[in-house]
Amino acid sequence: MYSTILRERSGSLWTLILSRHMGGGPRTFPGGLNKWQWKRMHEKKAREKETKLLDQEKQLYEARIRSEIRAKMLGGGGNHDSNENKAKSNQSHGPLSPKEHIKSLADRFMKTGAEDLWNEDDGPVGKKVNHGSRLNRVGSGGLGSSSSIDVRRFGNSRRGFSSMRRGLGFRRNESSCDEGDEFDVRKFDTLSPFSPGFVGKKEKVKSVSNVVRNKGLFGGRRKFRKNDSSTEEDSEEEENGKMDGWMDVRRTGSSASLGNHDFKLIKRVQRNVSEEELYPPLDINDVRDGLSKRKAVETIMEVNGEPSDSIYSGKRFDESSISPLTLKALSASGIVKMTRVQDATLSECLDGQDALVKAKTGTGKSMAFLLPAIETVLKAMEGSNSVHRVPPIIALILCPTRELASQIAAEGKALLKYHEGIGVQTLIGGTRFKLDQQRLQSDPCQILIATPGRLLDHIENKSNITSRLMALRLFIVDEADLLLDLGFRRDVEKIIDCLPRQRQSLLFSATIPKEVRRVSQLVLKRDHSYIDTIGLGCVETHDKVKQSFLVAPHESHFHLVPHLLKEHINNTADYKAIVFCSTGMVTSLMYTLLREMKLNVREIHARKPQLHRTRVSDEFKESKRLILVTSDVSARGMNYPDVTLVIQVGIPSDREQYIHRLGRTGREGKGGKGLLLIAPWERYFLDELKDLPLEPVPVPDLDSRFKHEVDQSMGKIDTSIKEAAYHAWLGYYNSVRETGRDKTTLAELANRFCHSIGLEKPPALFRKTAVKMGLKGISGIPIRK
Ligand SMILES: Nc1ncnc2c1ncn2[C@@H]1O[C@H](COP(=O)(O)OP(=O)(O)OP(=O)(O)O)[C@@H](O)[C@H]1O
């Protein structure tokens, strides 16, 4: 009925708009729209509004139905609620009054075990929308005038509804969940009826507490968040080991909507895995053990005729148990010997063990996980009699960037050259979603390589990827430290929720900081192996890569980079250089400057269309005598052969990023050069690199003619590019903890940067942006009127 009213209303609105604007009214409308554009815009708005209202109506209707069912259940003697409620519901079997309705919903949500009813979309609470007035209009028999309820709770997403359904099911077995039991909410979500770990509800609860005992470090963090920032705080606190308490009562939901019922008890799980267990204090015996192992490896390498600094172990692939067809593909590519990381991991990975693997950049980690992936697929195919039109996905590889996913896929395809019926596909952003779906149907694959965001899109849009992932046997995370970092972790967690628990998992990276070892338990079984081919006391960078740093005022960086590149070009016949800049827009400015200076240069950053990114990436792989200016999208995993120089302009986000950027040179045991160009106030970052062999380089003398040439080229660049670069620069350094703290100094530095790129005055920020960045009212930061 409401929808009819709505249509009528929107109809009359239309009559009004049309009569005012179509007959004899003005010819142009606000924003320079013509009458048809104006009409279409309003039609669209009306449609959107109608859809939204219908949606809300539907949600309310479903909430109401649930309420009725609940009232009936209570009347039948449900044993979960208070006697008061029972008495009330016995009096009346009809729908609950608005107040009772809210109270009963609140009760249900706040009960132990009711966490299953919650989903990601319930938060962040801070964003709660007050639908009170609308609800009053809509719900003739629904909620009372004083009620305002967060509709998302009642499942405004499909996922929400399904969680609810599951939640109701679970409630019936609530008694099987011991009062004293610890529980990890994430696990309720994880166990889908399709997953092998699902054995019925009673077992589910038991297994949950077991899992939690093993995974206590993450107990309940995801579901009970107040808002995004609090999650970060929480995790930081947890990571600092401050949240060891058993019980932590926190307010969730909005007190406006649910009053005093609006909090629940969260039992924090006591940590059973102690810090010592995860990181036993460095014992002299460990060091001795590490050194003797390294000696043993070196002896084997000597026996096999490999120098001790070689990336190869001396062992051959044909000595391993990989399939003959893969061996054939390897030898067709001229690959015979294993690298150290491949030697160290292959047998463990083929045995089905979970592993966390650390190995230097460019030493063949991709092949180290692709080979087990192929073997796992072969094994799965052997064991299965059924023929699928669209086969299940047996191995899933997650990686952070689109280019890296494509690169791994290409390597996988080369290894599968002689295998028939095994396919590799990528799911990456920047392509059309529908095309992805068609490709997955028409080009079936057993190995899927994906970036987390796009894979999650497919999972959440209920394409059949979720069911295809049910048979997954091997889950691999490349660049694990980055993907388990806060920026990606939530996506990765959601993906893990959709994977079977009975699986093998492998994490790979060239850098594995302590925190990552801790969070790796999110993916790995507790009894996983930690394989570190770098070894105790050794640095993560290659000896053959000469590292240096240059400290010079920021204003001179745009002069110094072309100078350093020209010098390198003059001294290196087949030069191939990468210049890393802090952000996409600064990359764009640097690229434009170098292009103006007639250097052979290309750019890649996230603002570029995917087609451009792919084309440039492929070109740079094949070429010599070329410079690539890029942001961090190329920092990890990209295998550009024979890069001779890597320049990093400004400090990278952290030590790990420095190592990965530098790792674009000196691959496959070759040599290379790396230069970090920083301003005097960025010197503090050198502390993070103090164990790496960086040499200082004196500031070169630039002659005035060269400076003039740079200034002229800079002068030709469009102001909009410079303004965007200034904003991006400000945003980046504002986010760096050390520089972002003192906003006044930051504003001064930004102004100097602004002048160095030829802008007379800093471009104004939007008020909202300035507020968000904490820069409102800071002198030197103009705000747009
Ligand atoms: N056993 C091998 N013999 C010869 N070449 C190899 C071998 N294994 C890998 N390679 C080659 O080494 C290059 C670098 O490998 P890869 O990109 O996997 O390094 P990585 O360790 O993953 O680096 P990053 O840490 O930067 O991701 C690739 O060209 C790959 O084909």
Side-chain angles (χ1 to χ4, degrees):
M1 187 191 76
Y2 185 70
S3 52
T4 328
I5 298 170
L6 203 100
R7 251 175 248 124
E8 276 169 21
R9 262 205 212 160
S10 56
S12 58
L13 180 76
W14 264 115
T15 326
L16 211 114
I17 293 170
L18 295 182
S19 62
R20 276 197 61 188
H21 296 301
M22 293 188 63
R27 294 279 148 207
T28 56
F29 295 85
L33 301 180
N34 66 34
K35 67 180 176 190
W36 297 113
Q37 286 169 329
W38 179 255
K39 177 176 177 258
R40 272 197 294 274
M41 186 182 86
H42 279 280
E43 271 172 354
K44 196 172 158 214
K45 274 190 183 165
R47 269 200 310 273
E48 280 169 1
K49 200 170 166 190
E50 186 176 357
T51 315
K52 213 164 139 192
L53 287 172
L54 282 171
D55 218 34
Q56 284 170 3
E57 191 184 17
K58 188 181 150 209
Q59 283 161 25
L60 271 170
Y61 174 71
E62 294 194 46
R64 203 171 141 66
I65 295 286
R66 280 195 297 274
S67 160
E68 277 175 32
I69 293 170
R70 181 183 156 72
K72 276 182 196 152
M73 277 168 67
L74 283 172
N79 58 356
H80 305 298
D81 292 288
S82 67
N83 291 334
E84 194 193 337
N85 256 354
K86 233 195 254 179
K88 270 184 195 168
S89 49
N90 281 339
Q91 283 160 17
S92 151
H93 290 271
L96 300 179
S97 76
K99 265 199 175 155
E100 285 167 338
H101 184 186
I102 295 167
K103 165 91 171 62
S104 65
L105 286 167
D107 280 347
R108 223 175 71 205
F109 273 88
M110 299 308 150
K111 268 197 166 298
T112 307
E115 291 79 3
D116 203 15
L117 300 174
W118 293 77
N119 63 72
E120 285 294 317
D121 304 319
D122 293 320
V125 173
K127 284 186 200 155
K128 184 190 152 292
V129 188
N130 187 343
H131 294 281
S133 56
R134 234 181 240 167
L135 293 178
N136 291 339
R137 268 194 283 126
V138 174
S140 48
L143 304 170
S145 56
S146 62
S147 334
S148 140
I149 214 153
D150 187 350
V151 179
R152 285 166 301 164
R153 293 239 177 92
F154 307 127
N156 64 347
S157 73
R158 262 181 271 162
R159 200 177 151 203
F161 279 120
S162 66
S163 305
M164 267 188 167
R165 265 182 254 123
R166 272 186 283 138
L168 285 167
F170 171 61
R171 253 176 66 87
R172 273 180 242 123
N173 287 280
E174 213 171 45
S175 54
S176 64
C177 185
D178 235 337
E179 270 301 339
D181 248 348
E182 310 134 7
F183 51 83
D184 178 2
V185 178
R186 201 167 53 74
K187 282 295 145 199
F188 291 111
D189 218 23
T190 310
L191 282 166
S192 92
F194 308 106
S195 81
F198 184 87
V199 237
K201 284 168 183 122
K202 214 160 185 171
E203 284 89 330
K204 187 166 121 179
V205 175
K206 275 187 193 154
S207 66
V208 162
S209 42
N210 283 339
V211 172
V212 172
R213 285 197 183 94
N214 294 341
K215 295 200 170 192
L217 295 170
F218 313 103
R221 181 197 303 169
R222 262 182 75 229
K223 292 286 169 176
F224 301 106
R225 65 170 189 268
K226 280 178 277 187
N227 53 39
D228 285 347
S229 60
S230 75
T231 312
E232 288 195 13
E233 271 167 37
D234 290 352
S235 65
E236 215 163 85
E237 270 180 314
E238 284 190 1
E239 265 148 37
N240 292 337
K242 285 180 201 157
M243 300 185 79
D244 278 338
W246 273 93
M247 197 81 103
D248 181 16
V249 181
R250 273 197 274 169
R251 197 161 268 278
T252 60
S254 142
S255 53
S257 59
L258 294 173
N260 282 335
H261 317 297
D262 199 15
F263 63 87
K264 55 182 161 185
L265 291 177
I266 299 164
K267 283 185 180 180
R268 280 212 168 268
V269 180
Q270 198 171 37
R271 287 179 174 161
N272 296 37
V273 189
S274 66
E275 286 284 302
E276 278 72 27
E277 236 181 298
L278 270 178
Y279 317 115
L282 207 56
D283 190 89
I284 185 69
N285 290 327
D286 294 331
V287 180
R288 278 204 196 113
D289 195 36
L291 287 174
S292 63
K293 270 187 196 156
R294 208 160 78 205
K295 254 208 154 121
V297 172
E298 279 166 12
T299 317
I300 295 169
M301 285 167 64
E302 266 171 39
V303 169
N304 290 324
E306 286 295 334
S308 62
D309 62 348
S310 167
I311 64 160
Y312 297 98
S313 73
K315 199 170 166 190
R316 297 160 60 96
F317 280 108
D318 54 14
E319 293 169 50
S320 71
S321 58
I322 58 173
S323 75
L325 290 180
T326 314
L327 278 178
K328 194 175 164 190
L330 280 171
S331 56
S333 314
I335 294 174
V336 180
K337 286 185 292 185
M338 293 185 197
T339 62
R340 285 195 201 201
V341 61
Q342 290 155 0
D343 187 7
T345 56
L346 205 57
S347 58
E348 296 245 359
C349 295
L350 293 178
D351 281 352
Q353 291 284 315
D354 277 16
L356 174 61
V357 182
K358 180 177 170 184
K360 288 186 184 180
T361 51
T363 56
K365 288 189 288 296
S366 313
M367 197 174 288
F369 58 70
L370 278 168
L371 291 172
I374 295 170
E375 293 307 310
T376 309
V377 174
L378 289 171
K379 232 188 246 170
M381 285 167 74
E382 260 173 34
S384 150
N385 300 324
S386 44
V387 181
H388 304 269
R389 194 180 65 78
V390 181
I393 290 158
I394 306 294
L396 171 67
I397 301 169
L398 275 193
C399 62
T401 63
R402 302 162 184 184
E403 286 80 7
L404 183 54
S406 308
Q407 179 181 294
I408 298 171
E411 196 164 344
K413 279 176 189 157
L415 291 173
L416 287 168
K417 191 171 171 186
Y418 300 105
H419 287 280
E420 270 178 24
I422 305 183
V424 186
Q425 287 269 355
T426 55
L427 271 189
I428 54 177
T431 57
R432 278 184 50 207
F433 191 85
K434 272 255 170 293
L435 284 182
D436 276 353
Q437 285 180 320
Q438 286 164 9
R439 198 162 41 85
L440 282 173
Q441 292 293 324
S442 61
D443 250 351
C445 67
Q446 295 86 349
I447 301 176
L448 182 68
I449 303 162
T451 49
R454 179 52 69 101
L455 177 60
L456 211 56
D457 278 354
H458 279 267
I459 289 172
E460 284 174 352
N461 280 291
K462 305 255 185 288
S463 60
N464 74 346
I465 203 85
T466 321
S467 57
R468 286 185 68 191
L469 284 171
M470 288 300 162
L472 192 89
R473 294 205 183 177
L474 177 57
F475 177 49
I476 296 162
V477 185
D478 193 15
E479 308 299 341
D481 57 330
L482 182 64
L483 289 189
L484 294 179
D485 197 21
L486 283 177
F488 278 106
R489 194 186 304 162
R490 218 168 281 152
D491 281 358
V492 175
E493 280 177 340
K494 284 185 195 167
I495 290 167
I496 293 169
D497 283 353
C498 302
L499 305 181
R501 284 173 60 211
Q502 300 295 327
R503 58 160 204 265
Q504 183 189 3
S505 306
L506 304 172
L507 304 186
F508 280 78
S509 185
T511 49
I512 299 181
K514 232 179 172 189
E515 315 82 67
V516 173
R517 276 201 72 183
R518 192 189 333 231
V519 292
S520 67
Q521 302 228 345
L522 189 69
V523 185
L524 300 171
K525 292 188 199 101
R526 193 170 166 197
D527 61 349
H528 67 265
S529 344
Y530 177 52
I531 303 171
D532 177 359
T533 63
I534 297 174
L536 275 170
C538 293
V539 292
E540 292 108 323
T541 53
H542 291 283
D543 296 342
K544 287 182 184 167
V545 177
K546 193 171 170 297
Q547 301 174 55
S548 44
F549 67 91
L550 200 166
V551 184
H554 231 132
E555 298 87 293
S556 61
H557 288 189
F558 281 93
H559 289 103
L560 282 170
V561 173
H563 169 84
L564 293 164
L565 285 170
K566 284 199 167 176
E567 204 175 59
H568 183 71
I569 292 168
N570 290 339
N571 297 329
T572 321
D574 284 334
Y575 75 88
K576 191 163 171 178
I578 302 184
V579 180
F580 281 103
C581 298
S582 46
T583 74
M585 295 325 291
V586 176
T587 302
S588 181
L589 178 62
M590 183 66 84
Y591 159 77
T592 318
L593 175 73
L594 298 176
R595 195 191 56 194
E596 286 293 338
M597 297 193 68
K598 308 280 178 286
L599 289 167
N600 193 15
V601 67
R602 304 283 182 275
E603 69 175 326
I604 291 186
H605 52 84
R607 301 289 184 106
K608 284 278 160 199
Q610 191 50 44
L611 223 61
H612 169 98
R613 281 169 64 169
T614 311
R615 187 173 47 73
V616 170
S617 179
D618 291 346
E619 184 190 357
F620 194 65
K621 265 190 188 151
E622 305 298 322
S623 318
K624 290 214 157 99
R625 293 181 289 282
L626 192 59
I627 299 161
L628 177 70
V629 188
T630 179
S631 65
D632 275 337
V633 293
S634 312
R636 289 201 173 231
M638 290 314 296
N639 183 44
Y640 296 121
D642 305 317
V643 170
T644 50
L645 173 69
V646 168
I647 300 181
Q648 307 191 32
V649 187
I651 48 167
S653 53
D654 52 27
R655 171 196 159 83
E656 283 71 42
Q657 205 66 349
Y658 169 83
I659 292 168
H660 286 275
R661 284 165 159 196
L662 181 80
R664 297 318 99 203
T665 182
R667 299 179 76 75
E668 298 176 52
K670 292 177 187 154
K673 279 185 192 161
L675 177 89
L676 176 65
L677 174 58
I678 50 173
W681 50 273
E682 291 176 305
R683 250 180 191 281
Y684 73 89
F685 184 74
L686 293 174
D687 257 8
E688 292 201 28
L689 310 178
K690 59 176 180 261
D691 60 325
L692 302 181
L694 268 86
E695 301 274 336
V697 171
V699 183
D701 261 344
L702 304 185
D703 68 48
S704 51
R705 226 185 48 209
F706 182 77
K707 276 186 182 169
H708 181 68
E709 192 192 332
V710 177
D711 291 340
Q712 263 195 331
S713 305
M714 188 62 99
K716 289 182 199 158
I717 299 173
D718 202 83
T719 311
S720 62
I721 297 179
K722 293 178 186 171
E723 289 184 348
Y726 164 85
H727 285 143
W729 190 97
L730 191 60
Y732 176 73
Y733 282 100
N734 191 47
S735 71
V736 175
R737 204 191 303 165
E738 284 75 3
T739 45
R741 265 195 298 238
D742 180 355
K743 308 283 182 201
T744 316
T745 313
L746 177 69
E748 275 169 30
L749 293 169
N751 278 359
R752 274 160 60 183
F753 173 80
C754 173
H755 294 305
S756 77
I757 58 175
L759 285 175
E760 275 174 21
K761 56 179 177 54
L765 282 184
F766 282 112
R767 182 177 300 275
K768 227 175 167 180
T769 317
V771 171
K772 254 191 196 162
M773 290 167 74
L775 291 171
K776 194 172 156 255
I778 302 291
S779 92
I781 303 284
I783 309 282
R784 230 176 246 204
K785 292 271 179 298

